[in-house]
Amino acid sequence: MSLARAETRRLFRRRFTSVILIGVLLILAATVVGSFLSTQKVGPAQVASAKAEAERNYQEAVKMAAEEQQRCLEANPTNAAACQPWTPSQSDFDYTWYMPETFDLRAEYPDMIALLAVVLAAAGFLIGASFVGSEWNSGGMMNLLLWRPRRLQVLGTKLAVLLGWFTGLTLLLGALWTGAFTLIAQLRGTTEKMTPGVWQSFGLTGLRGIALVVVAAALGFALASLGRHTGMAMGALVGLGALQIGVYIMAQLGGAKYPEAWLGPAWIYGWIFKELELPNYNSCNYSSDGNCEPETFTLTWQTAGIGMAIITVLVVGASMWAMRRRDIT
């Protein structure tokens, strides 16, 4: 039996892998069902109802404003100038605010792609860490190296099997995810303005989502291999979160222009959605009408991608170096 086939069987026969994947499927299924049940198709009847609701609220506001002005005049009979209540305007009651929730595929599906990518990335990190961490902790890695003494080949094959299967799983679930939300949009929403360019944009966003899943799985695997225990990856994740919070607070206290740029979620957002604009309100410039126009820094997907690639190469490289140089026993 080839090493890759053996590692595939080992990966999917682990109870932890099954539990995590079942949990992922339940989360995704609940999201699809919830989106279907919480939205509805909008037609002329819904538009007419929303316009009637907007008009009714407008008339009530006009009545309340008149009553408030009357009470003010009674309280101040000699100072009518003090009684100038807010006068409602028809434009203040846009009927679209009263429309029922509907699913707009073009506007809302990018968020669904991000959700899928984040859920699978979390699963990839956990399964990757457990996959190799349990081997070290149980002594299985040492037994495996007795009949397959090539250390880097063994660890590299394990990593390749993990990343290959997670790439395939992400592609499969991504196709099902797209089909499900396209159906929801057709039955409970709208597919208007869905041009080939929009589908291409969805595809590129999906590719960045796959890359995020692969990076997360590789980092979980590499960290657990470095520490020779699943807990190493979990501890590193918790420690990184605490470190980021501390750095963010220190950056704020130190007067850094864009403290949010030190937070990992900002980089993930910039990677998935192509860019993230971070404002610096401390150096706010005021325009002639008094509105704040702060300086901004745009975190692009290219910058986020380079940062993710550097971290992944360093961590995975360190795990390979440790595999080759450190004592196995």
Side-chain angles (χ1 to χ4, degrees):
M1 182 184 295
S2 69
L3 180 60
R5 186 179 301 174
E7 293 302 328
T8 297
R9 294 183 62 183
R10 187 175 289 112
L11 173 64
F12 286 102
R13 285 191 173 184
R14 299 193 68 253
R15 184 177 300 174
F16 186 79
T17 300
S18 300
V19 170
I20 293 297
L21 291 181
I22 291 173
V24 166
L25 293 177
L26 290 176
I27 291 172
L28 299 181
T31 302
V32 171
V33 172
S35 297
F36 181 85
L37 295 178
S38 63
T39 56
Q40 61 177 283
K41 195 81 171 179
V42 173
Q46 287 77 15
V47 173
S49 177
K51 288 183 176 180
E53 180 70 15
E55 178 64 24
R56 182 164 54 253
N57 287 342
Y58 168 67
Q59 295 299 335
E60 289 178 358
V62 170
K63 181 180 178 181
M64 290 177 62
E67 292 175 351
E68 179 64 27
Q69 185 178 26
Q70 183 61 35
R71 285 194 294 268
C72 181
L73 290 173
E74 292 175 356
N76 300 276
T78 60
N79 189 14
C83 299
Q84 295 181 356
W86 167 65
T87 302
S89 171
Q90 190 79 53
S91 61
D92 296 328
F93 297 85
D94 191 340
Y95 78 92
T96 58
W97 301 344
Y98 305 91
M99 295 285 286
E101 185 69 26
T102 189
F103 187 79
D104 187 335
L105 186 64
R106 185 177 188 274
E108 298 182 49
Y109 188 59
D111 292 336
M112 297 297 104
I113 297 176
L115 174 62
L116 176 66
V118 169
V119 170
L120 289 178
F125 186 91
L126 294 174
I127 292 176
S130 175
F131 180 42
V132 69
S134 62
E135 290 287 300
W136 282 112
N137 191 47
S138 65
M141 183 70 77
M142 290 180 286
N143 294 332
L144 177 59
L145 290 173
L146 289 176
W147 65 276
R148 183 77 69 162
R150 296 181 179 179
R151 299 183 179 189
L152 295 185
Q153 182 186 36
V154 169
L155 191 64
T157 301
K158 284 180 175 291
L159 179 59
V161 166
L162 173 71
L163 300 186
W165 277 103
F166 254 94
T167 299
L169 177 65
T170 306
L171 286 170
L172 174 61
L173 290 179
L176 295 175
W177 195 247
T178 301
F181 279 98
T182 300
L183 184 62
I184 289 174
Q186 292 173 345
L187 298 177
R188 313 282 284 188
T190 177
T191 57
E192 292 181 358
K193 301 180 181 179
M194 288 299 301
T195 64
V198 174
W199 283 112
Q200 182 181 11
S201 178
F202 286 173
L204 294 175
T205 303
L207 289 176
R208 292 193 297 274
I210 293 174
L212 178 65
V213 174
V214 169
V215 165
L219 289 177
F221 180 94
L223 288 170
S225 183
L226 272 172
R228 300 188 177 185
H229 198 285
T230 305
M232 169 64 179
M234 302 298 104
L237 185 63
V238 173
L240 179 61
L243 178 63
Q244 284 189 88
I245 294 174
V247 171
Y248 174 74
I249 294 174
M250 293 302 296
Q252 281 191 318
L253 295 176
K257 286 187 175 182
Y258 310 103
E260 295 85 358
W262 294 95
L263 299 176
W267 289 70
I268 294 174
Y269 186 98
W271 170 251
I272 293 293
F273 293 104
K274 296 178 65 175
E275 64 179 28
L276 173 64
E277 190 174 88
L278 301 173
N280 175 25
Y281 291 110
N282 293 329
S283 60
C284 190
N285 297 318
Y286 288 90
S287 62
S288 58
D289 59 0
N291 292 325
C292 176
E293 295 181 357
E295 296 178 357
T296 59
F297 168 72
T298 301
L299 178 62
T300 64
W301 70 270
Q302 294 94 333
T303 302
I306 292 173
M308 290 167 53
I310 291 174
I311 292 173
T312 304
V313 169
L314 289 177
V315 176
V316 173
S319 69
M320 292 295 178
W321 179 88
M323 183 68 170
R324 181 175 181 178
R325 302 295 298 181
R326 291 170 60 186
D327 186 8
I328 297 300
T329 60

